[in-house]
């Protein structure tokens, strides 16, 4: 049984209902109830949480000392990278699987262990981790790689070719194995093409004895279709596929994190089971499970509760769904937002629209905004991507002698989409 100790000394206190300022005995002006309430919240938090010991344990960027149910993947990746400890080039690796299957956690875990072992035995190994979604451009990917080698590059201002030249010179001056992990590599390729990957996978002969090995990580199972065959043959020397977690595995992960994150008795086992079950329905997403657990704890904390309940989990589920959708829409490229707007306009009178109708509406929107529209083929690809994100629902329909097309409908509330697009100045 997963038991916790009852927290002490924490009581929820309501603020004063008065909204006016008052005068103290010595003439000082007292704070309004609003200011008092804020101070009260801060003081209550500083006095210690009845729920959390360390909430950061539940965040995505936390890499635990043990990764349950990924032992085989850890051993496989470690065996691929091990030759670098003898100064030998290890194979490039392409890791893919859906969000929340432990790809990044495993890769960062092994990369850190490799760095530590190399330091311990004096092996000529350097490592670099880059999140391509966060850095955004090829220039910044190269800047991060240079920084890992101690080469200073200005944040902006140089040509990409110059930064690439500095990277090559830094590697040529040493004889090392440089292991680079490119997380969310699909984002980089979709935005800028695969020219940088081609350069990185082909620069070996220019490095004067140094070697570079790449670990590419992608959530998009169709990502390889975007790669030039020459890049694909080099990057995918070895492949690893991470399968989704099931409910029992998610439960084990949550139990382990919960022991570190929560005070004793603050969270019953039934709450952990519910978070695991709900996340298993969403393709075994461990990130979603951890988010649910953390947000449920934060809601309970704000309410002044001493324990997290299943009701807090259900409130957290609604909050996360809303937040994820808003973030997903706001982070889309402009043309993807315009496609969403076209679907919104076309489905005002009918629940769905076909691809051709949406493209016509999209083209009209581009005309109003004086923007050159993309081709219909590219818009069809965007529709597929929005379908994968869960923002649209695209189903193939047989139109008889007119062939087949897709019937597309919104998969999110119209009011939410209108609110977000209006905030972006598009609706």
């Amino acid at each position: 049984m997963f038991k916790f100790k009852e927290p002490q000394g924490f009581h929820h206190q309501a603020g004063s209902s008065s909204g006016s300022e008052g005068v103290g005995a010595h003439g000082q002006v007292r704070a309004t109830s609003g200011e008092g309430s804020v101070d009260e919240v801060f003081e209550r938090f500083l006095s210690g949480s009845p729920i959390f010991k360390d909430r950061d344990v539940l965040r995505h960027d936390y890499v635990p000392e043990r990764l349950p149910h990924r032992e085989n993947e850890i051993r496989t990746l470690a065996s691929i990278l091990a030759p670098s400890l003898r100064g030998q080039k290890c194979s490039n690796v392409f890791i893919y699987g859906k969000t929340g299957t432990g790809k990044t956690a495993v890769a960062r875990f092994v990369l850190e262990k490799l760095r530590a072992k190399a330091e311990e035995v004096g092996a000529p190994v350097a490592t670099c981790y880059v999140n391509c979604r966060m850095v955004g451009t090829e220039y910044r990917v190269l800047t991060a790689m240079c920084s890992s080698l101690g080469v200073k590059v200005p944040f902006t201002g140089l040509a990409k070719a110059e930064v690439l030249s500095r990277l090559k010179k830094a590697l040529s001056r040493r004889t090392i194995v440089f292991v680079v992990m490119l997380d969310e590599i699909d984002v980089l390729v979709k935005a800028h093409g695969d020219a940088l990957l081609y350069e990185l996978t082909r620069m070996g002969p220019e490095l004067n004895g140094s070697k570079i090995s790449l670990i590419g990580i992608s959530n998009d199972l169709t990502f390889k279709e975007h790669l030039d065959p020459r890049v694909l043959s080099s990057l995918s020397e070895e492949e690893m596929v991470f399968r989704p977690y099931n409910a029992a595995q998610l439960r084990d992960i949550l139990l382990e994190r919960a022991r570190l994150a929560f005070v004793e008795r603050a969270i019953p086992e039934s709450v952990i089971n519910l978070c695991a079950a709900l996340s298993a329905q969403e393709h075994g997403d461990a990130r979603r499970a951890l988010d649910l657990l953390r947000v449920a704890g934060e809601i309970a904390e704000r309410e002044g509760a001493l324990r997290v309940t299943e009701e807090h989990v259900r409130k957290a589920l609604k909050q996360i769904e809303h937040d994820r959708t808003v973030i997903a829409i706001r982070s889309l490229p402009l043309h993807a937002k315009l496609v969403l707007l076209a679907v919104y306009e076309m489905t005002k009178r009918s629940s769905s629209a076909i691809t051709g109708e949406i493209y016509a509406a999209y083209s009209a929107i581009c005309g109003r905004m004086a923007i050159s529209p993309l081709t219909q083929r590219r818009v069809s690809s965007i529709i597929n991507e929005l379908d994968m994100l869960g923002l649209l629902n695209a189903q193939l329909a047989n139109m008889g002698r007119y062939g087949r097309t897709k019937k597309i409908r919104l998969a999110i509330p119209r009011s939410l989409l209108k609110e977000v697009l209006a905030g972006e100045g598009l609706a």
Side-chain angles (χ1 to χ4, degrees):
M1 181 67 184
F2 194 32
K3 295 181 179 179
F4 293 90
K5 184 179 178 182
E6 195 75 17
Q8 301 292 326
F10 183 95
H11 302 286
H12 180 70
Q13 299 177 2
S16 168
S17 59
S18 171
S20 60
E21 292 183 339
V23 180
H26 299 286
Q28 299 98 333
V29 178
R30 293 196 301 264
T32 64
S33 63
E35 292 168 346
S37 296
V38 171
D39 288 340
E40 185 179 298
V41 169
F42 292 160
E43 288 297 332
R44 195 167 66 239
F45 184 84
L46 289 170
S47 69
S49 170
I51 300 293
F52 289 108
K53 281 193 296 187
D54 184 0
R55 76 189 73 215
D56 289 342
V57 169
L58 301 174
R59 298 195 181 277
H60 303 163
D61 54 359
Y62 176 81
V63 180
E65 279 299 311
R66 200 175 81 83
L67 293 164
H69 305 292
R70 286 294 180 251
E71 293 82 2
N72 289 338
E73 288 82 357
I74 288 170
R75 280 195 295 270
T76 298
L77 184 56
S79 66
I80 292 171
L81 300 182
S84 64
L85 293 171
R86 289 190 173 181
Q88 302 169 10
K89 184 185 186 312
C90 46
S91 296
N92 295 323
V93 192
F94 182 51
I95 302 173
Y96 59 97
K98 293 184 176 178
T99 300
T101 52
K103 303 181 302 300
T104 298
V106 165
R108 292 189 70 177
F109 177 85
V110 175
L111 197 68
E112 175 55 27
K113 293 292 184 183
L114 176 68
R115 186 203 60 75
K117 177 59 71 173
E119 188 175 306
E120 176 188 328
V121 302
V125 176
T127 63
C128 175
Y129 169 81
V130 185
N131 185 309
C132 297
R133 183 182 294 277
M134 298 297 291
V135 298
T137 65
E138 293 178 324
Y139 184 97
R140 291 181 185 172
V141 169
L142 288 169
T143 298
M145 293 171 67
C146 286
S147 178
S148 296
L149 297 172
V151 177
K152 293 184 178 180
V153 175
F155 187 71
T156 186
L158 297 179
K160 187 184 78 174
E162 171 60 22
V163 185
L164 187 61
S165 174
R166 292 189 185 188
L167 175 65
K168 291 177 182 178
K169 287 177 183 176
L171 289 168
S172 297
R173 286 194 294 265
R174 305 158 66 181
T175 304
I176 63 170
V177 181
F178 190 31
V179 182
V180 181
M181 184 193 305
L182 299 175
D183 200 358
E184 300 201 58
I185 190 173
D186 51 298
V187 176
L188 182 73
V189 171
K190 287 176 183 176
H192 304 286
D194 58 9
L196 177 59
L197 291 183
Y198 182 82
E199 290 277 1
L200 294 176
T201 55
R202 291 292 193 275
M203 68 165 55
E206 305 173 54
L207 301 184
N208 196 30
S210 283
K211 306 165 185 75
I212 182 167
S213 295
L214 301 179
I215 305 170
I217 304 176
S218 174
N219 299 330
D220 185 354
L221 304 184
T222 65
F223 160 68
K224 293 189 294 182
E225 297 172 8
H226 299 272
L227 293 177
D228 182 285
R230 293 168 297 178
V231 175
L232 182 59
S233 65
S234 297
L235 181 61
S236 298
E237 289 177 338
E238 303 236 19
E239 290 188 350
M240 296 178 64
V241 181
F242 280 59
R243 307 292 180 190
Y245 295 105
N246 60 36
Q249 291 171 332
L250 287 172
R251 179 180 176 276
D252 290 343
I253 292 168
L254 293 182
L255 278 170
E256 192 147 311
R257 295 287 187 99
R259 295 182 197 282
L260 300 172
F262 293 96
V263 301
E264 294 183 42
R265 294 187 183 176
I267 183 165
E269 195 169 342
S270 60
V271 166
I272 290 175
N273 292 340
L274 178 59
C275 289
L278 290 171
S279 301
Q281 295 171 6
E282 292 286 328
H283 312 296
D285 187 339
R287 288 189 180 189
R288 180 181 177 80
L290 291 166
D291 279 343
L292 264 179
L293 198 57
R294 177 179 54 80
V295 175
E298 289 173 349
I299 290 172
E301 184 180 56
R302 288 175 203 141
E303 291 181 356
L306 299 180
R307 289 166 66 88
V308 184
T309 66
E310 292 183 21
E311 181 58 29
H312 291 134
V313 174
R314 299 192 189 282
K315 288 180 181 178
L317 183 62
K318 290 181 181 177
Q319 180 177 317
I320 289 170
E321 286 292 346
H322 180 274
D323 292 347
R324 281 175 60 183
T325 302
V326 170
I327 291 169
I329 296 171
R330 285 178 177 165
S331 63
L332 290 172
L334 174 61
H335 285 276
K337 292 175 183 174
L338 297 182
V339 170
L340 273 180
L341 179 57
V343 176
Y344 174 83
E345 291 186 354
M346 290 306 301
T347 55
K348 282 181 178 177
R349 299 181 185 85
S350 174
S351 61
S352 65
I354 62 174
T355 308
E357 294 171 337
I358 289 170
Y359 184 72
Y362 158 79
S363 298
I365 292 168
C366 288
R368 294 199 301 267
M369 299 179 67
I371 296 172
S372 297
L374 302 175
T375 64
Q376 185 162 350
R377 182 176 179 180
R378 180 63 189 121
V379 168
S380 294
S381 296
I382 290 174
I383 289 172
N384 291 338
E385 291 165 11
L386 295 173
D387 184 21
M388 287 178 60
L389 285 171
L391 301 176
L392 295 181
N393 187 333
Q395 292 184 327
L396 205 58
N398 194 330
M399 307 296 286
R401 63 191 180 93
Y402 297 103
R404 295 188 301 173
T405 187
K406 284 186 176 178
K407 285 193 172 182
I408 297 134
R409 58 172 56 88
L410 288 174
I412 56 177
R414 293 178 60 81
S415 57
L416 176 59
L417 177 59
K418 183 178 180 181
E419 177 187 335
V420 177
L421 291 180
E424 301 281 304
L426 298 174

